Short mmCIF file of all heavy atoms in Angstrom, two decimals:
data_model
loop_
_atom_site.label_atom_id
_atom_site.label_comp_id
_atom_site.label_asym_id
_atom_site.label_seq_id
_atom_site.Cartn_x
_atom_site.Cartn_y
_atom_site.Cartn_z
N LYS A 99 38.58 -51.02 -46.86
CA LYS A 99 38.98 -52.43 -46.92
C LYS A 99 40.42 -52.62 -46.42
O LYS A 99 40.72 -53.59 -45.72
CB LYS A 99 38.85 -52.96 -48.34
CG LYS A 99 37.40 -53.16 -48.75
CD LYS A 99 37.28 -53.69 -50.17
CE LYS A 99 35.82 -53.93 -50.50
NZ LYS A 99 35.65 -54.39 -51.89
N ASP A 123 36.12 -34.68 -50.03
CA ASP A 123 34.89 -34.31 -49.31
C ASP A 123 33.87 -35.44 -49.26
O ASP A 123 32.66 -35.20 -49.28
CB ASP A 123 34.24 -33.06 -49.93
CG ASP A 123 34.97 -31.77 -49.55
OD1 ASP A 123 35.64 -31.75 -48.49
OD2 ASP A 123 34.87 -30.77 -50.29
N ALA A 124 34.33 -36.69 -49.18
CA ALA A 124 33.42 -37.83 -49.30
C ALA A 124 32.62 -38.10 -48.03
O ALA A 124 31.41 -38.33 -48.08
CB ALA A 124 34.18 -39.08 -49.71
N GLN A 126 32.88 -40.80 -45.94
CA GLN A 126 32.41 -42.19 -46.08
C GLN A 126 33.25 -43.22 -45.33
O GLN A 126 32.72 -44.24 -44.88
CB GLN A 126 32.46 -42.62 -47.57
CG GLN A 126 31.62 -41.79 -48.49
CD GLN A 126 31.83 -42.19 -49.94
OE1 GLN A 126 32.50 -43.18 -50.25
NE2 GLN A 126 31.27 -41.42 -50.85
N ASP A 136 31.25 -54.74 -39.02
CA ASP A 136 30.02 -54.93 -38.23
C ASP A 136 30.16 -54.35 -36.83
O ASP A 136 29.70 -54.94 -35.85
CB ASP A 136 29.63 -56.41 -38.15
CG ASP A 136 28.57 -56.73 -39.18
OD1 ASP A 136 27.68 -55.88 -39.38
OD2 ASP A 136 28.63 -57.81 -39.79
N GLN A 139 28.96 -47.37 -34.91
CA GLN A 139 29.64 -46.15 -35.32
C GLN A 139 29.02 -44.94 -34.62
O GLN A 139 27.82 -44.92 -34.34
CB GLN A 139 29.52 -45.98 -36.83
CG GLN A 139 28.11 -45.67 -37.30
CD GLN A 139 27.98 -45.63 -38.82
OE1 GLN A 139 28.44 -46.53 -39.52
NE2 GLN A 139 27.36 -44.58 -39.33
N THR A 141 29.40 -41.04 -35.68
CA THR A 141 30.03 -40.08 -36.59
C THR A 141 29.86 -38.67 -36.04
O THR A 141 28.99 -38.41 -35.20
CB THR A 141 29.39 -40.17 -37.97
OG1 THR A 141 27.97 -40.10 -37.82
CG2 THR A 141 29.75 -41.48 -38.66
N THR A 167 25.46 -44.42 -26.86
CA THR A 167 26.49 -45.29 -26.30
C THR A 167 26.74 -46.43 -27.28
O THR A 167 25.79 -46.96 -27.87
CB THR A 167 26.11 -45.88 -24.93
OG1 THR A 167 24.88 -46.57 -25.07
CG2 THR A 167 25.98 -44.81 -23.88
N ARG A 214 36.31 -47.75 -57.97
CA ARG A 214 35.01 -48.16 -58.52
C ARG A 214 34.37 -47.03 -59.31
O ARG A 214 33.52 -47.26 -60.14
CB ARG A 214 34.07 -48.56 -57.39
CG ARG A 214 34.55 -49.71 -56.54
CD ARG A 214 34.53 -51.00 -57.35
NE ARG A 214 34.80 -52.14 -56.48
CZ ARG A 214 33.87 -52.71 -55.70
NH1 ARG A 214 32.64 -52.26 -55.70
NH2 ARG A 214 34.19 -53.73 -54.94
N LYS A 216 34.77 -43.83 -61.84
CA LYS A 216 35.68 -43.29 -62.82
C LYS A 216 35.42 -41.80 -62.92
O LYS A 216 34.27 -41.38 -63.10
CB LYS A 216 35.41 -43.97 -64.16
CG LYS A 216 36.44 -43.71 -65.21
CD LYS A 216 36.20 -44.68 -66.37
CE LYS A 216 36.50 -43.98 -67.67
NZ LYS A 216 35.91 -44.65 -68.81
N LEU A 218 35.34 -38.78 -64.98
CA LEU A 218 35.35 -38.46 -66.41
C LEU A 218 36.01 -37.12 -66.65
O LEU A 218 36.74 -36.94 -67.60
CB LEU A 218 33.92 -38.46 -66.97
CG LEU A 218 33.13 -39.76 -66.80
CD1 LEU A 218 31.75 -39.62 -67.41
CD2 LEU A 218 33.87 -40.93 -67.45
N ARG A 226 31.07 -16.64 -60.41
CA ARG A 226 30.06 -15.59 -60.16
C ARG A 226 30.50 -14.36 -60.90
O ARG A 226 31.67 -14.04 -60.98
CB ARG A 226 29.98 -15.28 -58.68
CG ARG A 226 29.42 -16.40 -57.84
CD ARG A 226 29.21 -15.92 -56.42
NE ARG A 226 28.06 -15.04 -56.30
CZ ARG A 226 26.84 -15.47 -56.02
NH1 ARG A 226 26.61 -16.73 -55.83
NH2 ARG A 226 25.85 -14.62 -55.93
N VAL A 232 28.87 -0.82 -52.86
CA VAL A 232 27.95 0.31 -52.75
C VAL A 232 28.48 1.27 -51.69
O VAL A 232 29.22 0.86 -50.78
CB VAL A 232 26.51 -0.14 -52.41
CG1 VAL A 232 25.93 -0.94 -53.56
CG2 VAL A 232 26.47 -0.93 -51.13
N GLU A 245 17.10 -3.71 -58.09
CA GLU A 245 17.91 -4.42 -59.07
C GLU A 245 17.81 -5.93 -58.84
O GLU A 245 17.40 -6.68 -59.73
CB GLU A 245 19.37 -3.97 -58.95
CG GLU A 245 20.21 -4.37 -60.15
CD GLU A 245 21.61 -3.77 -60.02
OE1 GLU A 245 21.80 -2.62 -60.40
OE2 GLU A 245 22.51 -4.49 -59.53
N GLU B 71 23.22 -48.29 -37.39
CA GLU B 71 23.29 -49.74 -37.53
C GLU B 71 21.92 -50.29 -37.92
O GLU B 71 21.80 -51.14 -38.81
CB GLU B 71 23.76 -50.38 -36.21
CG GLU B 71 25.18 -49.97 -35.78
CD GLU B 71 25.25 -48.58 -35.15
OE1 GLU B 71 24.19 -48.03 -34.79
OE2 GLU B 71 26.36 -48.03 -35.06
N ASN B 97 25.39 -40.27 -42.46
CA ASN B 97 25.73 -41.25 -41.44
C ASN B 97 25.46 -42.67 -41.92
O ASN B 97 26.24 -43.59 -41.66
CB ASN B 97 24.90 -40.94 -40.18
CG ASN B 97 25.35 -41.70 -38.96
OD1 ASN B 97 26.53 -42.02 -38.81
ND2 ASN B 97 24.41 -42.00 -38.07
N LYS B 105 28.21 -52.44 -47.29
CA LYS B 105 27.58 -53.76 -47.17
C LYS B 105 27.23 -54.34 -48.53
O LYS B 105 27.23 -55.55 -48.72
CB LYS B 105 26.30 -53.67 -46.33
CG LYS B 105 26.56 -53.45 -44.85
CD LYS B 105 26.93 -54.75 -44.17
CE LYS B 105 26.95 -54.57 -42.67
NZ LYS B 105 27.64 -55.66 -42.00
N ASP B 107 29.00 -53.72 -51.08
CA ASP B 107 30.29 -53.71 -51.78
C ASP B 107 30.25 -52.83 -53.03
O ASP B 107 30.70 -53.23 -54.10
CB ASP B 107 30.74 -55.14 -52.13
CG ASP B 107 32.21 -55.17 -52.57
OD1 ASP B 107 32.98 -54.30 -52.11
OD2 ASP B 107 32.57 -56.03 -53.38
N SER B 112 29.04 -39.13 -53.03
CA SER B 112 28.62 -38.16 -52.03
C SER B 112 28.17 -36.85 -52.66
O SER B 112 28.80 -36.36 -53.58
CB SER B 112 29.78 -37.84 -51.09
OG SER B 112 30.17 -38.98 -50.37
N ARG B 125 29.66 -33.87 -58.77
CA ARG B 125 29.78 -33.57 -57.34
C ARG B 125 30.94 -32.63 -57.09
O ARG B 125 31.96 -32.69 -57.78
CB ARG B 125 29.96 -34.86 -56.53
CG ARG B 125 31.16 -35.71 -56.88
CD ARG B 125 31.25 -36.89 -55.94
NE ARG B 125 31.31 -36.42 -54.57
CZ ARG B 125 32.43 -36.28 -53.87
NH1 ARG B 125 33.59 -36.63 -54.38
NH2 ARG B 125 32.41 -35.83 -52.63
N THR B 135 32.98 -34.91 -62.49
CA THR B 135 31.94 -35.72 -63.12
C THR B 135 32.39 -37.16 -63.00
O THR B 135 33.45 -37.53 -63.51
CB THR B 135 31.78 -35.33 -64.60
OG1 THR B 135 31.52 -33.93 -64.66
CG2 THR B 135 30.62 -36.09 -65.24
N GLN B 137 31.59 -41.47 -63.00
CA GLN B 137 30.75 -42.53 -63.56
C GLN B 137 30.92 -43.77 -62.70
O GLN B 137 32.04 -44.15 -62.35
CB GLN B 137 31.20 -42.82 -64.99
CG GLN B 137 30.29 -43.78 -65.72
CD GLN B 137 30.70 -43.93 -67.17
OE1 GLN B 137 31.89 -43.97 -67.48
NE2 GLN B 137 29.73 -44.00 -68.06
N SER B 177 23.15 -47.64 -28.59
CA SER B 177 21.85 -47.21 -28.06
C SER B 177 21.82 -45.70 -27.94
O SER B 177 22.84 -45.04 -27.82
CB SER B 177 21.56 -47.89 -26.72
OG SER B 177 22.65 -47.69 -25.85
N GLU B 182 19.76 -33.00 -27.60
CA GLU B 182 19.60 -31.60 -27.22
C GLU B 182 19.28 -30.84 -28.49
O GLU B 182 20.13 -30.67 -29.35
CB GLU B 182 20.93 -31.05 -26.72
CG GLU B 182 21.15 -31.06 -25.25
CD GLU B 182 22.54 -30.52 -24.96
OE1 GLU B 182 22.76 -29.32 -25.19
OE2 GLU B 182 23.40 -31.33 -24.57
N GLN B 244 32.02 -25.72 -45.61
CA GLN B 244 32.39 -27.05 -46.10
C GLN B 244 32.02 -28.13 -45.10
O GLN B 244 31.58 -29.21 -45.46
CB GLN B 244 33.90 -27.08 -46.37
CG GLN B 244 34.42 -28.39 -46.95
CD GLN B 244 35.93 -28.41 -47.08
OE1 GLN B 244 36.62 -27.64 -46.42
NE2 GLN B 244 36.45 -29.26 -47.93
N LYS B 270 28.33 -20.17 -51.66
CA LYS B 270 28.56 -19.40 -52.89
C LYS B 270 27.56 -19.70 -54.00
O LYS B 270 27.60 -19.05 -55.04
CB LYS B 270 30.01 -19.52 -53.36
CG LYS B 270 30.45 -20.86 -53.85
CD LYS B 270 31.96 -20.82 -54.04
CE LYS B 270 32.56 -22.17 -54.23
NZ LYS B 270 32.25 -22.76 -55.53
N TYR B 292 26.79 -7.42 -53.84
CA TYR B 292 26.80 -6.05 -53.31
C TYR B 292 27.65 -6.05 -52.05
O TYR B 292 27.38 -6.79 -51.11
CB TYR B 292 25.38 -5.59 -52.98
CG TYR B 292 24.44 -5.69 -54.16
CD1 TYR B 292 23.40 -6.62 -54.18
CD2 TYR B 292 24.63 -4.88 -55.28
CE1 TYR B 292 22.56 -6.72 -55.27
CE2 TYR B 292 23.79 -4.98 -56.38
CZ TYR B 292 22.76 -5.91 -56.38
OH TYR B 292 21.95 -6.02 -57.46
N GLY B 293 28.67 -5.21 -52.04
CA GLY B 293 29.53 -5.13 -50.88
C GLY B 293 29.44 -3.74 -50.27
O GLY B 293 29.30 -2.75 -50.97
#
Side-chain angles (χ1 to χ4, degrees):
Chain A
K99 288 180 177 178
D123 283 336
Q126 300 175 8
D136 262 321
Q139 68 185 49
T141 50
T167 57
R214 300 291 189 81
K216 192 168 143 198
L218 302 181
R226 292 188 74 92
V232 294
E245 195 175 276
Chain B
E71 297 78 15
N97 192 31
K105 288 280 190 196
D107 193 29
S112 297
R125 58 176 304 262
T135 305
Q137 187 175 39
S177 52
E182 264 178 69
Q244 183 185 21
K270 68 189 167 72
Y292 304 112

